[in-house]
Amino acid sequence: MIMYTMMPEELIFPMSQDIYERQQVILYNGIPLLVARNESNEFEVIRVLSTDPNHYLHTEMQPGAKIPTI
């Protein structure tokens, strides 16, 4: 089945509650990021929450990037 929608995948196929509990919003170099703590005690970037288009060009803060805990 093909679904043509503009709805985010998270609204159509919700994740379990424990995944949301690991997520938090942090400021990293002044840029707000939605991150999740992984097993090796690092943060993994899920989403950039900034409204500045230049912040999306930073390769060290792209989704999937690892950030050491502060």
Side-chain angles (χ1 to χ4, degrees):
M1 174 172 69
I2 299 174
M3 294 180 64
Y4 296 100
T5 181
M6 294 186 67
M7 301 284 290
E9 181 181 347
E10 296 86 19
L11 292 178
I12 299 170
F13 306 108
M15 295 182 278
S16 63
Q17 186 65 27
D18 62 332
I19 294 174
Y20 288 113
E21 291 172 355
R22 293 185 313 176
Q23 296 179 358
Q24 61 185 7
V25 176
I26 64 167
L27 275 177
Y28 184 71
N29 293 337
I31 300 172
L33 302 171
L34 178 65
V35 296
R37 189 177 300 267
N38 59 16
E39 297 82 27
S40 60
N41 208 18
E42 292 179 321
F43 289 131
E44 181 177 348
V45 178
I46 297 173
R47 184 175 293 156
V48 179
L49 300 174
S50 176
T51 56
D52 185 355
N54 289 324
H55 292 163
Y56 291 86
L57 300 175
H58 296 283
T59 57
E60 67 273 5
M61 291 177 242
Q62 291 180 347
K66 307 284 191 250
I67 297 174
T69 56
I70 301 168

